[in-house]
Structures are given as structure tokens and as C-alpha cells.
Amino acid sequence: MTDRPPHDNSVPTSRRAARAASQSPASQGPASTPGGAARPDDSSRAEHTPTPAAEHRGSVDAPASREQDLGEQASYGQTPRAAAPAVGTLDALFTGDVSTHEVGAVPSRHDRDRKKSRIAKWVVLIVILAILGSIVAAGAWVWNTYEPQIRSAMGWEEPKDFEPGEATGEVLVTVVSGDTGSTISQTLFDQGVTKTPTAFYDHLIATAQDPTFQPGVYALQQRMTSEAALTLILDPASKRQNAAQLREGLTVDQTVEVLAQGTGMPVEDFTAAVADPSAYGVAADTLEGWLFPATYQFDPGLSATDIVRTMVDRTLESLDAAGVPQERHEEILTTASIIQREARLSDDFYKVSRVIANRLADGMPLQMDSTAQYGYNEMHDGTVSSSAEALEDDNPWNTYVRAGLPAGPIANPGDEAIDAAMNPADGPWLYFVTWNMDTGETIFSATYEEHQAGIEQWHAWCDANDNRGC
């Protein structure tokens, strides 16, 4: 998770002045008022009272031409009648672009009121749609954040476990030293064995079981019931011999433990094998980031050095496939290791990569919790939050204290993280926060204000889910 910021002044001529026109004495009629407008006497007023349009058009003293007619109407303060509709206007009438009210007549007050009414209706409709959109967005947020509580209250809870008979395929699951029912429950969910992150642990609680789990690699299936998964994990026949399953994001220290447990060789053999990176052509102080995560089935008789070499060679294959130049190997593995620890969903790998690139380009500190936790040795406590001590500790990996990338990789990245480090997505993001610890859904933001809103959503999820993984 990322955090913290950093005219023209002339006055136009009035219409009144523009309307003023001089008239000859013969046509001017009665004397003008001081304002310039004709003021006929009573007899003149009676003689020139405007008649309805139909009568005026039919009178014997009507003007001889249309131009004269229009001019006369203007002199009496009447609005001139519209000219006969052109052919284009008639075409528009038939297509519906022009109404009969708009052809050959001046819009009436009724037409203007009806137009205003239509506009008002559209405004009301837009406001209603905006309100409904806000309600839908708020409802979606509440559902995503409080879905388990809503389902429980309404009696809509989905089964936490798969049904018997749904199991398919094969999945290798690694149990490491120190694993508990809770951590194994999350591992089983991540591997697609169980339906929910807590299904396996809830089964142990419900059946009052507290078994001792033996480290090793176990052959299970996808879509199993928690009961069936427990049976296989406790069955020695399910344990693979001379095999190791190394998931993405493990450190060197974690990796040597898994190798020892999977192969039955002493952990000291692997500790010695990883001590000298130059033996494998790696120009770095440690092999952190170079022990490629995968499921391995080793041939009997291989030494610890042979096994480590196999893993380093696999990392080189991934770097070559992503088109990483040799001089950028350590840089890309460092970036990829942060991506591996920070992102959980496939598309987010490339977005986190963009956040890293944008921050480096802007001269911002990376401020990645994963780097602070690695440098302070608290990245294995099962939560995404960093302690104040970890954030403040001045070590070469703490990107809250040091500028740029950390001193080196913080974990072993897989193919996708390496590819994402080389090919970040396009976007303006500078911040991100994973707000749902179960699904890994993450909010990416371009501004600190947006980021704060994402953090509030994360807090709401944590409060509603007993701070699981927070």
C-alpha cells in the first residue's frame, strides 16, 4: 500500500436606438411625441386601429407589395409575418425536424410555455437519474463492504464449503514449519482447494480438532470440502517425497526451509548453498529474488547446490522471456519483488508497476509497506499493516526513509511480476490500497484525496470483518 502526498469594455448600441427611423412629412401623420414615436389623435387612432390579420390581408387599401406590408406592420409596432416556408423548411416539416407551429407563424406564448415545460421535464429526469445513480453506487459499496453481515442478517448466507463430489484435478499444497489451522486455511483457499478463506479453519473449530501438521508437500484436489482436505493433509500417503512447492513472494529464508522439508535434506545444507551468489553467476550480495517460485520434483541424489542452481537458472529463463537486459536484472527483480508482495490480482500487477514508475519519475518516495516490513523483519506476521517502528527504521530497504528502489529484492517474484515490472500499465496512479483482504480488490488513485477515500473503505471492511489480515 502507498501512503502520504505532497475583454472588451465597449458598450453596445441599444436596440431602442437602432429601431428609430425618420419618416417624410407626408407619411409621418400626426406630430411626434418628444420621444420620437408618433402619437395619433383620437380620430387618427380610430382610423388606424389594427385589424385582425385576415381582415388586413383582405382590405382594399393593403400595401401593394409584401415588402411594403412588412414595413407597415413594423411602423405600427407589429411583428412582421414570417415569409413563406422555403422548400428546405417543408422537407424539415415532413421529417419532423420542424413542427407546424414553427412554419409560417410566430411562436405563441403557448408554444414557448410548452418548450419550457419540456426543458423542465428533462432537467427533472436528469436530476432523478443522478440521484438513482448515487443510490446504486452507494448500495454497491455497502454490499461489497458488508456482504457477509448483510447475508447473515437476511438469511442469505452462501455455503462456506464446496459440496462433496465437486473435487477435480490435482493441487500440490505446501505446509511449512509453524503453520496453523488459520494459515493453512488461507493457503487452501489461495490454491483453489476450499471455497472461502476461513472454511478449513471454521471446520476445525466446529469439530473441535487441533491436529499437528507435518511440513511437506501434499497432493490435494481443487474444490474439496474442508473435511476431505483435512483427511489428506493428515495422511502420510498424500505427502510428496523429494518435492518442493515454492509459492511466489517467499524470501530466501522461507525458501530454504521449504526445500529442506520437501527433500528431507538438512536446512544447513541449503543455507550454505545460498551463501555465495557468485557461484551461480549472480552479481549481488544475496540470492533474494533469484530462487524462482515453482513446484519442483527433484531427482534423488541431487545436492543442495544442484537444487539451488536449478532455481536460479529458472529465474534467468523468466528474465530472458520478459526481455530484460542483463544489466537490469537486479533492478527488475527488485521492482518485481515489490509488485509480488503488494498485488494479488493479475491486472493489479501491471498497475502497481505503473505506480512505482510514476513515483520514481516524480521524485516521490515509494513508501511501500512491504519494503518497510522486509527491512524490519516483520513481513511474516500475516497482516498488511506496518508498525510505526518498521516505518521509521532507517535501513536500506525502507522506502519510507530512503529514496528510490530498496537495496535489492525483498522476495522471489514469479513470471507475471517480472513481466509487469518490464511492462507497466498506462495510467496516472500514484497511490493504491487493497481494501478487501479476502478478494484482494485494490483501489488505485491519482490524487491523495482519492487515496484517503480508498483508505476509509479499507477501514470499513476491516471493522466489518474482525480486522482479518488488516
Side-chain angles (χ1 to χ4, degrees):
M1 180 175 68
T2 56
D3 200 2
R4 305 175 187 171
H7 301 292
D8 184 5
N9 295 323
S10 62
V11 180
T13 304
S14 68
R15 294 192 195 182
R16 184 184 298 276
R19 285 202 305 267
S22 62
Q23 299 180 1
S24 65
S27 61
Q28 197 170 22
S32 299
T33 65
R39 187 176 62 188
D41 58 18
D42 291 343
S43 60
S44 176
R45 189 180 299 115
E47 180 181 350
H48 291 89
T49 301
T51 60
E55 294 179 16
H56 186 73
R57 285 198 297 271
S59 63
V60 294
D61 59 348
S65 69
R66 179 171 182 79
E67 290 77 8
Q68 183 179 353
D69 185 14
L70 294 174
E72 182 176 325
Q73 290 183 50
S75 70
Y76 279 101
Q78 299 178 14
T79 303
R81 294 193 303 273
V87 175
T89 306
L90 292 177
D91 292 339
L93 176 62
F94 284 109
T95 62
D97 293 336
V98 177
S99 70
T100 55
H101 295 286
E102 298 171 312
V103 178
V106 177
S108 66
R109 175 176 294 180
H110 174 70
D111 293 330
R112 292 193 299 271
D113 291 344
R114 187 167 60 179
K115 183 177 181 180
K116 291 179 180 178
S117 177
R118 287 197 299 268
I119 294 174
K121 290 177 180 177
W122 276 109
V123 171
V124 171
L125 177 60
I126 292 172
V127 171
I128 291 174
L129 290 176
I131 293 173
L132 289 176
S134 300
I135 293 173
V136 170
W141 180 84
V142 171
W143 176 261
N144 287 333
T145 306
Y146 297 100
E147 179 182 355
Q149 289 76 11
I150 295 173
R151 287 187 177 278
S152 178
M154 301 300 294
W156 298 341
E157 288 185 283
E158 292 184 351
K160 294 182 178 181
D161 233 336
F162 290 116
E163 295 294 328
E166 292 189 49
T168 181
E170 182 180 80
V171 178
L172 296 181
V173 175
T174 299
V175 176
V176 299
S177 179
D179 264 349
T180 64
S182 178
T183 57
I184 293 174
S185 186
Q186 182 67 51
T187 300
L188 292 175
F189 170 72
D190 292 340
Q191 295 288 96
V193 177
T194 52
K195 188 174 185 179
T196 59
T198 63
F200 184 79
Y201 183 69
D202 290 343
H203 173 70
L204 294 178
I205 298 299
T207 57
Q209 297 187 68
D210 185 20
T212 299
F213 298 103
Q214 297 298 322
V217 178
Y218 295 86
L220 278 69
Q221 292 181 286
Q222 290 185 322
R223 304 179 69 85
M224 298 184 73
T225 65
S226 296
E227 180 181 5
L230 177 61
T231 300
L232 288 181
I233 291 176
L234 296 180
D235 184 0
S238 301
K239 187 176 179 180
R240 288 288 184 89
Q241 302 301 318
N242 214 38
Q245 183 188 43
L246 301 168
R247 60 178 175 82
E248 293 86 350
L250 295 180
T251 63
V252 168
D253 291 341
Q254 290 175 309
T255 299
V256 296
E257 290 184 8
V258 174
L259 291 173
Q261 293 162 2
T263 62
M265 299 170 63
V267 67
E268 291 79 12
D269 289 1
F270 289 102
T271 301
V274 300
D276 183 12
S278 63
Y280 310 98
V282 174
D285 293 334
T286 74
L287 284 179
E288 195 73 84
W290 285 90
L291 303 181
F292 194 82
T295 299
Y296 296 92
Q297 184 74 51
F298 299 112
D299 293 334
L302 288 179
S303 68
T305 299
D306 294 332
I307 291 174
V308 170
R309 189 181 304 281
T310 298
M311 302 171 72
V312 171
D313 289 345
R314 178 62 181 83
T315 298
L316 288 170
E317 289 178 12
S318 183
L319 291 169
D320 290 342
V324 183
Q326 183 173 357
E327 64 272 15
R328 297 188 65 193
H329 280 178
E330 192 74 4
E331 170 205 341
I332 292 301
L333 284 177
T334 300
T335 301
S337 69
I338 298 174
I339 296 170
Q340 190 72 69
R341 293 291 303 184
E342 294 282 354
R344 286 174 57 183
L345 304 181
S346 182
D347 288 347
D348 291 348
F349 276 61
Y350 296 86
K351 292 181 179 180
V352 170
S353 181
R354 173 52 61 189
V355 171
I356 295 173
N358 286 347
R359 281 186 163 245
L360 291 176
D362 289 353
M364 297 175 65
L366 290 184
Q367 295 183 332
M368 299 287 173
D369 282 74
S370 56
T371 64
Q373 292 167 359
Y374 177 87
Y376 198 66
N377 197 30
E378 71 171 24
M379 66 188 303
H380 308 312
D381 65 354
T383 66
V384 297
S385 300
S386 303
S387 67
E389 293 78 10
L391 296 177
E392 296 169 0
D393 189 65
D394 188 3
N395 63 73
W397 286 271
N398 187 359
T399 57
Y400 276 89
V401 176
R402 302 291 184 95
L405 290 171
I410 62 172
N412 297 319
D415 285 322
E416 191 168 38
I418 292 173
D419 184 68
M422 278 293 290
N423 303 287
D426 293 330
W429 314 292
L430 292 171
Y431 309 91
F432 64 89
V433 56
T434 299
W435 69 271
N436 189 316
M437 297 296 100
D438 284 349
T439 64
E441 292 172 86
T442 299
I443 298 172
F444 291 83
S445 307
T447 68
Y448 187 68
E449 290 72 22
E450 294 172 345
H451 181 53
Q452 286 298 109
I455 290 177
E456 289 303 315
Q457 188 167 338
W458 170 54
H459 286 161
W461 187 94
C462 293
D463 292 342
N465 291 274
D466 301 322
N467 289 307
R468 185 167 63 249
C470 298

